[in-house]
Amino acid sequence: VRVLPVLRDMSQIGSFRCSDERLNQVFDTAVRTVHLCCQDYLWDGIKRDRLVWMGDTHPETLVILPVFGAASVLPASLDYMAATTSPSEWMNGMPTYTLWWIRNLAEWYRYTGDLNYLQKHAAYLEKTFDHVLTRMGPDGWQGEGAMGSFLDWPTHGNPEAERAGTQGLALLTARETEMMAKALGLEALAKKAREMAESITVGKVKSLPKSAAAMLALSGLAEPKEMFEKSLGREGHAGVSTFYGYYMIEAISAAGEQQRALDTVRDYWG
């Protein structure tokens, strides 16, 4: 049996080392995993479906930018999804993944400051955001269909939790759309995004899995400390998911629990 590694030519410019060798190993393994996913496009599930999933792309983007810099695989993947998805359709067939495409575009612009690239997608962004607004109602933002409010697999089948987490995701997306619209000088789009953000609220939620709690904390719809006490800080790393793991750690850290965030990395990924 011969195994041939196929790796996109990418130079590593960011690194991490600390006194805890377990954390060093987690970092190195994470970088290797993401590098393997950088093929023609950023393929999530390098051993499985090898598709460009816009939701899963976001945490991978947050690895690639500081570790490999402005790697061309990221705009190539954004371009591919825009070219193969009409603004009146949902990315990967899921409304939440269209929100993630917008967030990925914002991450690229925030890191590179490449206004020309943003202008390339300006018209598409406007039309896509208008489609996003079709899902706004008196109770906030909601998707449609069985996968309409999909967050991650641990919350799938829990409509209350999915809806709560989706409100946080939608709020973050609206804010980032406004940021990009202002950079582009698109005042009408900025106004739509601002109004969407102002209209999103969330009520009390009985069942609050960690992915939903993280979105509420990071969006400001709930206090990070409250989300830590009610959900994120309970039962160790139980309920952590591979997709939303980063956001959970970020929310735990926002609650002032940096030691717990590090322990979660050691226990779950370690």
Side-chain angles (χ1 to χ4, degrees):
V1 176
R2 293 184 178 183
V3 178
L4 178 66
V6 179
L7 289 166
R8 191 181 182 102
D9 186 14
M10 297 165 60
S11 298
Q12 184 172 337
I13 62 173
S15 61
F16 169 83
R17 279 296 177 270
C18 70
S19 59
D20 187 331
E21 187 55 30
R22 176 59 59 86
L23 290 179
N24 294 335
Q25 291 172 343
V26 169
F27 177 86
D28 291 341
T29 303
V31 169
R32 171 72 174 179
T33 300
V34 172
H35 195 174
L36 285 169
C37 291
C38 296
Q39 299 292 329
D40 298 330
Y41 303 104
L42 182 51
W43 290 346
D44 185 71
I46 194 62
K47 296 185 292 183
R48 301 188 310 276
D49 43 21
R50 300 182 181 184
L51 297 173
V52 184
W53 292 100
M54 272 297 103
D56 311 79
T57 294
H58 191 261
E60 293 163 341
T61 293
L62 296 178
V63 174
I64 292 171
L65 289 174
V67 175
F68 296 106
S72 60
V73 68
L74 294 177
S77 300
L78 293 173
D79 292 348
Y80 170 78
M81 290 305 296
T84 57
T85 310
S86 165
S88 61
E89 298 174 340
W90 300 117
M91 294 278 179
N92 304 121
M94 293 182 283
T96 50
Y97 274 42
T98 290
L99 300 183
W100 283 117
W101 182 88
I102 294 173
R103 294 204 67 195
N104 281 310
L105 182 64
E107 294 294 353
W108 176 260
Y109 176 65
R110 183 179 292 114
Y111 182 88
T112 66
D114 188 348
L115 186 59
N116 288 332
Y117 183 76
L118 202 59
Q119 289 170 335
K120 172 183 175 180
H121 285 295
Y124 184 85
L125 176 63
E126 285 185 285
K127 294 177 182 177
T128 296
F129 194 74
D130 280 342
H131 187 43
V132 166
L133 290 175
T134 65
R135 306 312 304 166
M136 283 299 296
D139 296 324
W141 192 87
Q142 55 187 0
E144 57 184 343
M147 301 292 284
S149 296
F150 179 79
L151 286 177
D152 62 350
W153 291 114
T155 58
H156 192 47
N158 184 339
E160 185 183 37
E162 284 194 326
R163 185 192 173 280
T166 298
Q167 300 313 301
L169 175 58
L171 178 52
L172 291 167
T173 303
R175 289 173 180 158
E176 291 181 329
T177 300
E178 183 182 6
M179 178 270 290
M180 291 187 288
K182 287 180 177 178
L184 290 164
L186 299 175
E187 293 302 325
L189 177 60
K191 183 174 183 291
K192 291 177 183 179
R194 184 165 55 253
E195 290 175 348
M196 175 178 166
E198 292 171 350
S199 66
I200 293 177
T201 59
V202 65
K204 291 185 177 180
V205 183
K206 296 178 182 178
S207 174
L208 200 61
K210 292 180 178 178
S211 54
M215 286 293 103
L216 293 178
L218 295 176
S219 65
L221 287 173
E223 289 295 326
K225 195 67 177 176
E226 178 189 3
M227 292 297 95
F228 179 80
E229 293 171 353
K230 288 186 175 180
S231 175
L232 294 165
R234 294 189 174 185
E235 300 178 354
H237 64 263
V240 173
S241 75
T242 50
F243 179 5
Y244 271 69
Y246 169 78
Y247 313 108
M248 295 175 192
I249 292 170
E250 189 179 25
I252 290 171
S253 182
E257 299 286 345
Q258 284 81 7
Q259 186 61 53
R260 182 59 176 274
L262 284 171
D263 290 342
T264 300
V265 175
R266 290 188 184 97
D267 293 343
Y268 185 72
W269 286 275

